[in-house]
Every structure is written in structure tokens, then in C-alpha cells.
Amino acid sequence: MPGQSCSSRSSRPLRPPPLLTGDNAGLFTATLVLMVAVVAALIASFALTRKIPVVPLMTAVLVVAFGALTLYLHDATFIKMKPTILYICFSAALFGGLAFNRPVLPILFDNAMALTERGWRVLTLRWAAFFLVLAALNEIIWRTQSTDVWVAFKFPGLFIIVLLFTIAQLPFIMRNKLDDEEAKNAPEHF
């Protein structure tokens, strides 16, 4: 700007002052970093594989949209609602796949394992229900607890919960896993 010294321009913060102070300043900073990180991850993924996976794309769209609303409106509510909406979308996709007999979970696992038809159905039901539980849990925590508690729930809390749920599914997966010969002869989708 005319009449403004170079030093005063360079000392101006990247983010507007309302985002730098107050109870949610750390959350706003983390939101901005997360938005940049998910876009960078999508670009890196595309550069390496020449495709963009659906789940990371959906996550990135929600992070950028809700992050932008959070920063623009200076309201942490939007970024706190994002996991709920994401988990409901995941659950709906899994339940919808079952309803239309179009399996989604085997696609998400990228054929990393071969299960019986019953195995895929039950595992899909479990994950779909689990995502609904996560959505409800996120709603309860962000609406009743402090931002600090919600952040701790997001990480490491959710990471631990998802890890424990995944480990709990391993015995079921092992019981319903197809051996190599059966896997070769099994249809690609149930």
C-alpha cells in the first residue's frame, strides 16, 4: 500500500487478527494447516499414481469446505461438524452398497484380502454401524465438552478407537478368509 513501509507490510500476519487470538486460535491454525495438508496429499497422490482415490478426495472436499467456513466465519462449529458428516457419508455408502448388492468395502480395501460373500457382508455391516457410532460420539463430544477435549478425542482418541475396532475384526476376517485357490476362483465382487 502507498505510504506503508516495507517493514510494516512484512510484519503483518498471514492470518487476520481474529484468528490469532482467543480460545480457538490454536484450532483455527490447525484447521488452516489441515486444509493445506489434505490438498498437498491429494496432489502428491495424483503425481505418484495418476489417480485420486475416492475416500481421500471426499475427505479433502469436506476438510476444505468446512475449514473455509470455520476460518471465514471465525466459528469452530463447522470444523467440529465435519467428522460427523464424513462418518455419516461413509456409513451411508457402505449401507447403500449392501442395499444395491454393490460392495463398497472390497473396493476400499483394494482387494488386499479375499473374503467369503458372507464375510464381506458382515464386515461391511460392522464398519457401517461403527461409522454411525463414531458420528454420534463426535456429536456428543463436541457439543458437550471443551475444544481441548474434542481435539484430544480427535487425536489420539479416534486413532486408538479405530485401531482397536480394526484389531477386534481380525478374528472374524481370519475365519472368513478365502485361501489362495478359492480367492483365484471367487468372483471379484459378491
Side-chain angles (χ1 to χ4, degrees):
M1 287 184 182
Q4 193 175 29
S5 73
C6 193
S7 65
S8 67
R9 261 185 274 154
S10 63
S11 66
R12 192 172 352 143
L14 177 63
R15 296 174 296 149
L19 297 180
L20 295 172
T21 59
D23 293 339
N24 291 320
L27 184 63
F28 293 149
T29 300
T31 298
L32 182 60
V33 170
L34 179 63
M35 290 168 66
V36 171
V38 298
V39 170
L42 278 181
I43 291 169
S45 176
F46 182 76
L48 293 171
T49 64
R50 293 290 178 222
K51 65 180 182 175
I52 297 178
V54 174
V55 172
L57 177 62
M58 188 168 84
T59 301
V61 166
L62 289 174
V63 164
V64 170
F66 281 84
L69 285 170
T70 296
L71 297 176
Y72 183 74
L73 298 173
H74 307 160
D75 187 350
T77 301
F78 295 102
I79 202 65
K80 291 177 179 179
M81 288 171 42
K82 190 257 328 158
T84 300
I85 293 168
L86 183 65
Y87 299 144
I88 289 171
C89 288
F90 286 166
S91 182
L94 293 172
F95 279 131
L98 285 176
F100 292 104
N101 204 27
R102 303 285 304 176
V104 176
L105 205 55
I107 296 166
L108 295 178
F109 278 100
D110 197 25
N111 298 319
M113 60 185 169
L115 299 181
T116 63
E117 182 178 331
R118 179 188 173 281
W120 279 120
R121 285 188 184 284
V122 171
L123 193 61
T124 299
L125 282 170
R126 288 179 179 185
W127 275 100
F130 178 66
F131 282 126
L132 285 180
V133 169
L134 290 182
L137 195 54
N138 185 67
E139 282 298 299
I140 290 166
I141 291 174
W142 86 261
R143 290 178 185 273
T144 64
Q145 304 299 310
S146 70
T147 295
D148 290 340
V149 170
W150 178 78
V151 168
F153 162 71
K154 285 285 293 160
F155 189 83
L158 276 176
F159 175 77
I160 294 168
I161 292 168
V162 171
L163 181 65
L164 291 174
F165 179 79
T166 302
I167 291 169
Q169 302 315 302
L170 291 178
F172 176 80
I173 290 170
M174 296 311 293
R175 283 192 310 273
N176 288 277
K177 192 170 193 248
L178 297 174
D179 63 33
D180 291 339
E181 188 61 35
E182 290 173 319
K184 276 194 258 182
N185 298 326
E188 195 166 309
H189 302 292
F190 58 84

